[in-house]
Each structure stands twice: as C-alpha cells, then as structure tokens.
C-alpha cells in the first residue's frame, strides 16, 4: 500500500546491460559526474548473484540534509544526518513467484563514515504503480528519502525494488509476500557483494523496516532471516510502518465500506483483483469482476507502464462504479484461491514468533492502511507471547496524507530506535 492520493514527478534513469552484465554509464551526482565501468560477472543463475552495481550519486552530508529538507510536500527530519553517502543501482539474480530464474533491481546506499564494517538496514517500499517510481531509477525525494536517512546516519541501506519494478521484467506481483521476501533476501546478498567490491563489509545483523506494502514485505523478510534462510545474514530487529497486515479482515472490509480515501479504495481494490488473478486465477475475463468500460482498461493500466495520474484518470471515483456484483462479493467474502492467498499475506503477523525486538508504527486516522491492521497484528503477536508495542506517530501529514506522513514520521522514529540497538 502507498500513495494513491498524489503523483510524484519522476526522473527516470535507464541503464543498458550487455549480455555479459557489463555496462558503462555516466552517473550524475550533486554537481559532479563520472564514468564508471562495471566488471562482468559469471553467467550462472545463483540467487542473490550480483549482475551489476552502477554508481549513481555521491552526496556530502550537507547535500543530503538539503535534499531531505527541501521536499516541497513536507520536509523530512534531518536530525540523524551525520555523513555523506554513495548510492548504487544493483541488478541481481533472483526467482519469480513460480521459482523460475529472473533478475531484479534495487538501490544500495553506503555511508561515507570511514567505517569498514557496516550495520545494515533493509527498507521495503510501499505500493508503486509505475516501474519508474522506485529508488533505483527515481531521484524523487519521496523515493530516495529512506536511503538518504539511514545511510547518512551510518547504516548500509538496502532497498529492493521487488519483482517487475525498476529494471525488473514483467508485471509486479503486488502484495505477494513470498516473492517480496525472496527479492529482498536476494537483494541483501547482492548488496553484500557490491559493498565488498567497495572495500566495505556488511555485518550479519540486519535491521528490517518497510512502509505500507513494504511493511508486510519487511515482516516476511524478518521471518525468513530468523528461520535461517541465509548463511550470513540474521535478524536483529524489525520495525514495520503502516502495513495492511490483516488484509482480509481489516483492510478489505474498510475499502468496501468506504472507510478509506475514495480513489485509493478504487485503485487498491482493482490492484487486489488484477494482481492476485495473475498469480491465482480468480476470474476468466475482466468483465466478470469489473464493470464496463473499465473491464477493457484496468488490467492494462496496472501493468507498471502507466503513471499514478494515468491510473487515477482511467478508473472511476467509487468502488460501486468499478466492481460487478460478483467482483464485490469475491472481495467481501473471499473463498477458494483468494482466501488461500490472503492467508499467506496475513501470515506475516500470525504464522511466526519474532525473537527479536519489534515495534509496529502507525498513524492515527490513516486514510489508506486503516489502523485496525496494526491492532490485529499486535493482538496476533501478543497471543504468541511477543511484546510488539504499537507506536503511535500521531497525525503526520505529507502532501495532505496521513498515510504518507507516517512513512516520513516513522522513518525519523525508526532510525533513532535502530541507533539505540547494539
């Protein structure tokens, strides 16, 4: 889940990879430019293998602070800024939702702190409708801010784009926690190799956070790390922000009842049906679940090549105008394949017992990810004997949205909490 109520202007950056994985680019920095060749890598299909690491930007601490403070939709907290940083676009090998080899991309940010061994933060982002609205290809402050905040505070910061976003091929499997988990885990592995090439070491302990859609992804990655999915990395702490952790029992009912921002409700509802249908075959034709004329357009609008503005313009202003009776019933009373998929998504709070410090950050009156999600996650973890305090961020505002504001306020709170953990 993330931003439906606003659309950011995105500066897309493209990279052409040769068959060997070698590329030469000119990376624009703040007032600087440099040409850098990336060494080729072996052509095997190992998960987490680094395909390329393309230098993007070098910023000093003052430039980081200026960029964060200069966001026209609301200044980001700069109190944790200590160092400059370098960012890299990472392309790496991973698997798709069916376990087949593919590649994905993401952003790695390394602090210019002088430390060789770095503590690592993994940040998983919220819903993006366009492939270009991710940190590895967008220089928009919203997309870059988590990397700038954590890296300038001294952490190696890893931001996976997920499958199908950034330089990834095909449609993005939205809210598919298993593929979000493998993409995030393999991004950590590739980032370790990229950091080593820069003379830096990523320490084994990973501090995991994420926002909205990425809050569920963060919990999925945390569970995977705790269960020993990697031989090097292990979980240190987890701090999700404003997630839809109870998608079936809290978020979907709120969407259908009109308790969330209207356009956000329409787009999230459409995303649920389209994205889950791609993986789980919920309907045979769009006309079964979407009313005309949207049945002819909505799947194409949600293919990752359209901007948020285009998606908003191409969808109605109410769920009743979007869904057929069958489509609404499918979401109101999930059964079969949809129910099974939702159990997996909601399992991030119900199917494991965290053994590390965990906090659940949320905003009062969140107009997109209703706070009942956090309450249900807290209750589910409590029944397993886990102390996971809900952290109330109040009513933060970013561009008129409390949901977006919770990422901004949550990032400032989480970086300070992570600093205090040793």
């Amino acid at each position: 889940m993330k931003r439906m109520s606003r659309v950011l202007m995105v500066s897309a950056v493209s990279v052409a990879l040769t068959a060997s994985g070698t590329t030469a680019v000119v990376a624009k920095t703040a007032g600087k430019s440099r040409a850098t060749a990336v060494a080729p890598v072996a052509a095997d299909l190992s998960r987490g293998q680094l395909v390329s690491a393309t230098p993007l930007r070098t910023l000093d601490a003052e430039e980081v602070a200026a960029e964060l403070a200069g966001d026209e939709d609301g200044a980001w907290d700069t109190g944790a800024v200590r160092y400059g940083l370098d960012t890299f676009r990472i392309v790496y090998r991973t698997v798709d939702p069916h376990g087949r080899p593919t590649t994905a991309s993401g952003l790695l940010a390394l602090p210019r702190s002088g430390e060789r061994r770095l503590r690592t933060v993994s940040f998983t982002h919220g819903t993006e409708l366009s492939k270009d609205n991710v940190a590895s290809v967008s220089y928009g402050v919203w997309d870059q801010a988590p990397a700038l905040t954590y890296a300038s505070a001294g952490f190696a910061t890893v931001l996976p784009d997920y499958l199908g976003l950034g330089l990834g091929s095909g449609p993005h499997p939205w809210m598919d926690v298993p593929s979000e988990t493998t993409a995030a885990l393999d991004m950590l592995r590739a980032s370790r190799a990229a950091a080593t090439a820069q003379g830096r070491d990523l320490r084994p302990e990973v501090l995991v956070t994420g926002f909205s859609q990425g809050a569920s992804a963060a919990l999925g990655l945390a569970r995977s790390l705790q269960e020993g999915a990697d031989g090097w990395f292990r979980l240190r702490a987890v701090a999700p922000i404003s997630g839809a952790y109870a998608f079936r029992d809290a978020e979907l009912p709120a969407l259908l009842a009109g308790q969330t921002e209207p356009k956000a409700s329409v787009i999230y509802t459409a995303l649920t049906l389209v994205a889950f249908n791609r993986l789980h075959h919920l309907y045979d034709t769009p006309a079964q679940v979407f009313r005309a004329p949207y049945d002819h357009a909505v799947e194409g609008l949600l293919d990752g090549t359209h901007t948020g503005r285009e998606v908003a313009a191409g969808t109605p202003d109410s769920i009743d105008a979007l869904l057929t009776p069958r489509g609404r019933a499918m979401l109101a009373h999930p059964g079969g394949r949809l129910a099974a998929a939702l159990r997996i998504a909601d399992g991030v709070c119900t199917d494991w017992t965290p053994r590390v410090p965990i906090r659940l950050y949320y905003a009062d009156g969140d107009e997109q990810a209703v706070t009942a999600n956090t309450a249900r996650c807290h209750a589910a973890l409590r029944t397993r004997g886990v102390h996971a305090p809900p952290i109330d961020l109040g009513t933060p505002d970013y561009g008129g949205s409390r949901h977006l504001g919770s990422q901004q306020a949550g990032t400032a709170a989480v970086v300070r909490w992570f600093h205090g953990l040793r």
Side-chain angles (χ1 to χ4, degrees):
M1 312 286 293
K2 204 197 81 176
R3 60 166 183 258
M4 300 301 124
S5 58
R6 67 188 296 274
V7 180
L8 294 185
M9 298 298 292
V10 175
S11 299
V13 180
S14 62
V15 169
L17 294 177
T18 67
S20 66
T22 304
T23 184
V25 302
V26 175
K28 292 184 178 179
T29 66
K32 318 170 186 70
S33 66
R34 63 187 177 201
T36 305
V38 179
V41 297
D44 67 48
L45 301 177
S46 301
R47 277 186 51 190
Q49 182 189 23
L50 180 65
V51 174
S52 65
T54 304
L56 296 179
R57 297 203 292 171
T58 294
L59 302 174
D60 61 31
E62 290 75 17
E63 290 167 330
V64 172
E67 188 161 322
L68 291 171
D71 190 340
E72 63 182 15
D73 287 302
W76 295 74
D77 189 285
T78 61
V81 174
R82 297 289 183 273
Y83 309 106
L85 55 87
D86 299 294
T87 65
F88 303 82
R89 180 187 300 114
I90 302 298
V91 177
Y92 61 99
R93 301 194 188 280
T94 186
V95 291
D96 71 9
H98 307 289
R100 298 174 301 215
T102 189
T103 58
S105 57
L107 187 78
L108 169 65
L110 298 177
R112 293 186 150 239
S113 60
E115 294 288 334
R116 179 180 176 86
R117 298 186 71 246
L118 298 171
R119 301 173 73 198
T120 303
V121 169
S122 171
F123 175 86
T124 40
H125 65 75
T127 298
E128 296 293 356
L129 298 176
S130 169
K131 291 175 179 287
D132 292 336
N133 282 9
V134 289
S136 73
V137 294
S138 167
Y139 286 175
V141 183
W142 172 269
D143 302 304
Q144 292 280 310
L148 300 182
T149 298
Y150 291 110
S152 69
F155 299 99
T157 309
V158 178
L159 289 83
D161 295 335
Y162 310 137
L163 299 178
L165 298 176
L167 302 188
S169 61
H172 167 54
W174 182 73
M175 287 296 289
D176 180 53
V177 173
S179 68
E180 292 166 354
T181 299
T182 55
L185 180 61
D186 292 343
M187 176 68 183
L188 278 171
R189 293 163 170 161
S191 295
R192 184 186 177 202
T196 298
Q198 297 297 316
R200 317 293 287 277
D201 294 325
L202 301 190
R203 289 164 53 176
E205 303 85 4
V206 183
L207 300 154
V208 176
T209 184
F211 166 67
S212 199
Q213 175 189 353
S216 291
L219 288 170
L221 174 62
R223 177 174 57 190
S224 180
L225 289 171
Q226 181 172 285
E227 292 173 352
D230 187 77
W232 175 257
F233 291 111
R234 61 179 181 267
L235 182 63
R236 176 63 183 91
V238 57
I241 304 167
S242 300
Y245 318 110
F247 204 84
R248 173 174 178 159
D249 294 327
E251 190 64 24
L252 280 177
L255 294 174
L256 295 175
Q259 296 171 359
T260 54
E261 196 276 327
K263 181 59 77 170
S265 299
V266 168
I267 296 178
Y268 286 138
T269 299
L271 269 173
T272 301
L273 289 171
V274 170
F276 279 59
N277 184 63
R278 288 173 181 150
L279 292 182
H280 309 290
H281 190 70
L282 307 181
Y283 55 82
D284 293 324
T285 66
Q288 292 174 329
V289 294
F290 299 116
R291 295 183 184 273
Y294 308 107
D295 57 322
H296 296 294
V298 69
E299 289 187 335
L301 282 172
L302 298 175
D303 67 357
T305 67
H306 295 83
T307 66
R309 191 181 304 278
E310 291 170 334
V311 174
T315 51
D317 294 330
S318 71
I319 288 179
D320 287 340
L322 175 71
L323 297 180
T324 64
R326 175 176 173 178
R328 175 178 274 276
M330 186 180 294
L331 297 177
H333 307 287
R337 295 187 182 99
L338 179 57
L342 292 173
R343 280 194 296 272
I344 293 172
D346 294 347
V348 295
C349 291
T350 61
D351 291 349
W352 70 301
T353 304
R355 297 192 297 271
V356 299
I358 176 172
R359 292 181 175 183
L360 306 173
Y361 293 81
Y362 72 98
D364 287 337
D366 190 317
E367 81 285 357
Q368 294 187 33
V370 294
T371 55
N373 286 289
T374 297
R376 284 179 175 268
C377 185
H378 169 69
L381 292 172
R382 185 175 56 192
T383 64
R384 303 176 76 90
V386 176
H387 177 60
I391 306 299
D392 187 350
L393 297 168
T395 57
D397 180 89
Y398 181 87
S401 167
R402 290 186 185 181
H403 184 61
L404 303 184
S406 71
Q407 169 166 318
Q408 194 174 63
T411 298
V414 172
V415 72
R416 287 169 171 77
W417 184 50
F418 282 173
H419 255 308
L421 297 173
R422 297 296 174 187

